[in-house]
Each structure stands twice: as C-alpha cells, then as structure tokens.
Amino acid sequence: MTVSKPLPRAMLIDMDDTILSAYGRPEIAWNTIAKEFADELAPLPPELVATTVLAFARNFWANAEAAWRMKLAEARHLTVKGGFAALAAAGHRALPDDLAVRLADRFTAYREEEMFVFPGAHEAIDRFKTLGIKLALVTNGAADMQRAKVERFELAHRFDHIQIEGEHGFGKPEERAYLHAMEALGVTPADTWMIGDNLEWEVVTPQRLGIYAIWIDVHGDGLPEGSTVRPDRIIRSLTELVPDRT
C-alpha cells in the first residue's frame, strides 16, 4: 500500500497490542480462564463470573492511578476480588479470596502464554530502519515485565531507543515521555509519528505536542461510539505504513 504522507524522520512505537498481541480481547481470556475454574465456581456459570470480573476490571483501570501499572499482578488480584464481591452483592454465592488470587494468577500466566508478535511487525520495523527512520519503543508498565517482553520478542536491536515506564520513572500520557523519546532520537514533533492502540496515549497527547498520531485498530472495531478523538490516520497493522518497494 502506498503511503500518501511522506515517511517521517522518526517513529515512536508502542509495544503492547501494537507490535505484540498482548492485552486485546480480554473478554475471550476471562471466559477461557473462568471455564478452567468452572468446578470451583459452581453453581455460578463461568460466563457470569467472567463478565462480572471484566466489568469490574474495566472500571478499575478507567480510574486507576499510574502506579498500578507497576503492580499488574496485584491489581488483577484486586479486580477479581472486586468482581467476586459484586457477585455476592447481587445475591450469588460468596467466592473465597484464595480462589480469586488463583484465578487472577492463572489469567496472568495465560496472557503470557498467548502473547505473540503480530504478523509482519518485525519485518515492518526492520524496513523502517533500513529506510533510515529513527525508531523508539515507548511502552508503559513495570520494568521487569516489559524488559522481558523486549528480550523475548527480539525487539532491542530493532530500536535506537527503548523507553520503558518502569525504568525511566515516567510514561504515557505524560508529555515528558514523548519529549524524552524525541530528545533521545534528536528529532522534533514535526519530524515524528506516534503509533499505538491507546487513543489517549498515542493520539491525544501526541497531537497536542504536534506529533502526527496514528491509531492502530488491530481488530477493526473502529473508534468508540461518541469518541471526539480524531487520529491523523487509522491502520490495522504496522505493515500498512511500509512503502511499496516499486
């Protein structure tokens, strides 16, 4: 596919659910795990437990302070316990905290097991590099967890700058996260594209700074209903940004 806008001097690229399939489609993951624990959840249907836990988790993360991103396993313990409490408040069987912890830990392990690089992502990044584009990986999350992904999925050598929230002490959507990455690459906002799946982190703040903001909509769901955010471009894969070789 021919890119209508000339490629930039630099790209800031998100990792989770941009390069890696990591946390998308949580409803599938929660339903899978709830079914594994069906005997212990009975007589509650696994689907009800999964739906309730997911609803509690989404509300939690919509309001959570950034510090919780550094304590993902603990946060999942809290969200499963919260989902269990919501079920009990609705008159269902009270489920024990130890089951909540085991279910949450299994969810975490399952997410790690199922993680993979999106088809063509490595090749696209390598192509950007051969074209002389400066590349920064800019990801939120705990240092050990995110660094492990960088190594596991062979990303370190593909980027000129690796910026992990837990290693630097700041992350998206703080303006300094983008400013620091651009400074490390020696570029300005006018030279830079930001690419990622989070509308606030990869579109709203970058646009405010004058960065061209590309939202990656891997599953083709489209912008959320009522969203006022307008990405400069919407793609489903990094491969769409690779220019034709002709």
Side-chain angles (χ1 to χ4, degrees):
M1 178 179 179
T2 302
V3 179
S4 58
K5 184 178 175 65
L7 289 169
R9 286 187 61 208
M11 293 181 181
L12 313 182
I13 305 178
D14 174 52
M15 181 167 66
D16 294 323
D17 298 305
T18 297
I19 299 171
L20 308 179
S21 176
Y23 303 121
R25 293 289 194 259
E27 65 279 3
I28 296 174
W30 280 118
N31 273 288
T32 298
I33 299 308
K35 287 176 183 176
E36 290 184 10
F37 286 80
D39 289 345
E40 292 186 76
L41 296 172
L44 276 68
E47 297 81 6
L48 175 61
V49 175
T51 300
T52 307
V53 168
L54 178 57
F56 190 93
R58 282 179 166 154
N59 183 67
F60 174 86
W61 287 113
N63 300 285
E65 296 179 358
W68 280 109
R69 294 197 294 265
M70 305 299 110
K71 302 180 291 184
L72 188 57
E74 184 179 344
R76 285 183 176 147
H77 292 169
L78 286 179
T79 57
V80 178
K81 288 178 182 178
F84 283 9
L87 287 166
H92 297 288
R93 173 197 165 198
L95 297 167
D97 283 351
D98 75 290
L99 177 57
V101 169
R102 287 187 288 114
L103 194 149
D105 288 347
R106 173 61 189 132
F107 180 87
T108 296
Y110 177 83
R111 283 304 218 185
E112 291 294 322
E113 294 164 8
E114 296 295 309
M115 207 170 287
F116 63 89
V117 177
F118 285 124
H122 274 166
E123 293 77 9
I125 294 165
D126 292 345
R127 178 66 174 147
F128 300 149
K129 195 164 189 177
T130 64
L131 291 170
I133 298 171
K134 297 182 178 182
L135 301 174
L137 182 71
V138 183
T139 182
N140 283 355
D144 55 351
M145 179 178 68
Q146 297 302 82
R147 179 58 66 174
K149 293 178 195 173
V150 169
E151 300 303 325
R152 174 184 172 188
F153 296 106
E154 301 180 335
L155 297 176
H157 73 279
R158 292 185 152 90
F159 288 88
D160 303 294
H161 175 65
I162 302 285
Q163 188 170 304
I164 297 171
E165 181 182 21
E167 293 180 351
H168 285 74
F170 52 82
K172 301 172 290 188
E174 296 176 74
E175 290 188 358
R176 60 177 170 163
Y178 315 90
L179 297 173
H180 182 84
M182 288 188 291
E183 181 181 4
L185 297 180
V187 296
T188 66
D191 300 323
T192 306
W193 290 2
M194 177 78 227
I195 306 153
D197 69 299
N198 186 296
L199 287 170
E200 181 183 3
W201 299 353
E202 275 88 47
V203 178
V204 175
T205 305
Q207 284 181 335
R208 189 167 63 241
L209 293 172
I211 298 169
Y212 187 78
I214 299 174
W215 183 54
I216 188 162
D217 178 19
V218 172
H219 301 290
D221 295 330
L223 291 167
E225 185 176 352
S227 174
T228 60
V229 180
R230 292 294 175 263
D232 294 303
R233 183 172 175 183
I234 299 174
I235 60 175
R236 293 191 62 180
S237 167
L238 289 175
T239 59
E240 293 180 41
L241 302 178
V242 178
D244 292 335
R245 293 177 183 269
T246 57

